[in-house]
Amino acid sequence: MRTFVTTRIAAMFAILVALTGVMFVLAHISPLDPVKAQLGAQASQAAVAARREALGLNEPMLVQFWNYLTGAVTGDLGTSYRTRHPVASDLGDFLPATLELAVFGMVIALVLAALLAFSTTLKWRGSAVLRAVLFTGSSAPMFLLGILGLIVFYQQLGWVPANGRIGIANPPTGPTGLLTVDGLLHARFDVVGDALQHLILPAVVIAIGPAVAIGRVLRSSLLGDTDSDYARTARAKGLSEGRIMVGHVLRNSIGAALSMTGLQIGLMFSGVLVVEQVFGWPGIGQYIAQSIPVADFPAIAGVTLMLGALYVFINTMVDLLQAAADPRITVRGG
């Protein structure tokens, strides 16, 4: 176990260094000039040169790369060219909104995936309708699904707000930054209710694709194990199909679904960045969308490194959960 965790941590650092190197190369070959984007096209040559010197952009690329890496190790991700604030501080401000949306989206995805897998395997009434709705939804691009959701559930039915994260003035600002959690901690149930109302539609939009992917893998595993020897033995004992599925088949079938869940969590964060634009969600999607046009390299690099580290961490946890769910799986290094 120790070797496994050590190997994954080393792999995470290697991946992040490689990501940083790729971003530095792309930044240097990009036609966008962050200094001219900040000062404007009419800025004098002297002002441009002074600003480049202040930002350290006159240093050789390898020197800039090394300075960035050594700073990142201590948590210094540089200063945003656009906001003029430390990138780490900006991420602390924008990340909670994205995390809250992603967590609620993944919870909904897991619930829908379980319903899809169990309803179609056990042939529940209405399972064909659920399957058709989910497969249709997953085939549409997220931005289109979000726009259609707004047209139906906001414009036509008026069930959900159009955009934003909260409609109540002066909501709690801590300690977690998650409005639903902070609202509960401060006994502000009006905040919790309003936050959930804002969350539900974007969370469902980002959940449908992962729900279908996880549900299909889980269903295939369940179907493969329902005819196993231990399942037939359980039937011979008089157990119902539901008890056999939950008590015996599920644990042996969940490994592949956990692997797919780890993959889908990584993909979900990329989807969240798109959905935040549709719903005006004040998360890192908005932050990076405003940073790209002005070539704000520190902000772009900070978001990329954070998502890369999060992806490796999540997949490491998935591997550990697989080992816990199935004792036949041993966690080793490599």
Side-chain angles (χ1 to χ4, degrees):
M1 177 71 73
R2 183 179 301 174
T3 304
F4 170 79
V5 174
T6 303
T7 302
R8 281 305 177 91
I9 292 174
M12 180 179 70
F13 279 108
I15 291 170
L16 296 183
V17 170
L19 277 176
T20 307
V22 170
M23 286 186 294
F24 262 87
V25 172
L26 292 177
H28 278 73
I29 65 176
S30 171
L32 291 175
D33 187 338
V35 175
K36 292 184 178 179
Q38 289 180 54
L39 301 180
Q42 304 304 318
S44 65
Q45 291 293 330
V48 170
R51 186 60 182 163
R52 290 187 67 84
E53 182 70 27
L55 294 176
L57 297 178
N58 290 332
E59 299 283 350
M61 185 175 70
L62 288 178
V63 174
Q64 294 182 45
F65 179 62
W66 175 252
N67 291 338
Y68 185 84
L69 283 181
T70 53
V73 170
T74 63
D76 180 9
L77 298 175
T79 300
S80 168
Y81 300 157
R82 181 177 60 86
T83 67
R84 309 297 173 88
H85 297 152
V87 173
S89 175
D90 284 345
L91 293 180
D93 293 336
F94 287 94
L95 182 59
T98 297
L99 279 180
E100 189 166 36
L101 179 57
V103 168
F104 273 83
M106 183 49 64
V107 169
I108 293 173
L110 293 176
V111 171
L112 292 176
L115 287 174
L116 175 64
F118 284 104
S119 65
T120 53
T121 301
L122 298 175
K123 296 180 173 59
W124 292 348
R125 181 176 298 178
S127 62
V129 175
L130 175 64
R131 183 177 182 181
V133 170
L134 290 179
F135 273 72
T136 302
S138 67
S139 64
M142 281 191 183
F143 74 90
L144 179 59
L145 202 59
I147 293 172
L148 291 176
L150 286 173
I151 293 173
V152 174
F153 296 103
Y154 165 68
Q155 187 174 15
Q156 300 297 326
L157 300 176
W159 290 357
V160 297
N163 53 40
R165 191 183 177 199
I166 190 74
I168 295 176
N170 301 318
T173 56
T176 66
L178 309 179
L179 290 177
T180 50
V181 176
D182 292 341
L184 288 173
L185 293 176
H186 289 82
R188 290 287 304 276
F189 301 109
D190 57 331
V191 171
V192 176
D194 191 77
L196 289 174
Q197 195 176 17
H198 282 78
L199 269 169
I200 184 64
L201 184 56
V204 169
V205 168
I206 65 173
I208 290 180
V212 171
I214 298 168
R216 291 179 68 177
V217 171
L218 180 58
R219 178 178 180 270
S220 298
S221 299
L222 292 175
L223 289 173
D225 284 342
T226 50
D227 293 329
S228 61
D229 291 338
Y230 63 84
R232 287 195 293 268
T233 301
R235 289 190 190 94
K237 293 179 179 179
L239 296 181
S240 66
E241 287 296 321
R243 290 187 62 185
I244 294 171
M245 195 69 65
V246 175
H248 298 273
V249 174
L250 179 60
R251 183 169 183 178
N252 292 284
S253 304
I254 204 169
L258 283 173
S259 295
M260 179 57 71
T261 300
L263 175 62
Q264 291 301 314
I265 289 176
L267 295 175
M268 176 177 281
F269 273 100
S270 64
V272 166
L273 304 186
V274 175
V275 169
E276 285 184 359
Q277 302 305 302
V278 176
F279 290 93
W281 194 264
I284 58 173
Q286 291 276 19
Y287 179 64
I288 198 169
Q290 295 168 359
S291 300
I292 290 174
V294 295
D296 188 352
F297 173 77
I300 298 169
V303 171
T304 304
L305 291 178
M306 180 193 66
L307 293 179
L310 190 61
Y311 183 76
V312 175
F313 172 78
I314 288 171
N315 278 275
T316 300
M317 296 305 298
V318 166
D319 287 340
L320 294 175
L321 287 173
Q322 281 183 294
D326 190 346
R328 296 172 297 180
I329 297 176
T330 57
V331 177
R332 298 190 179 96

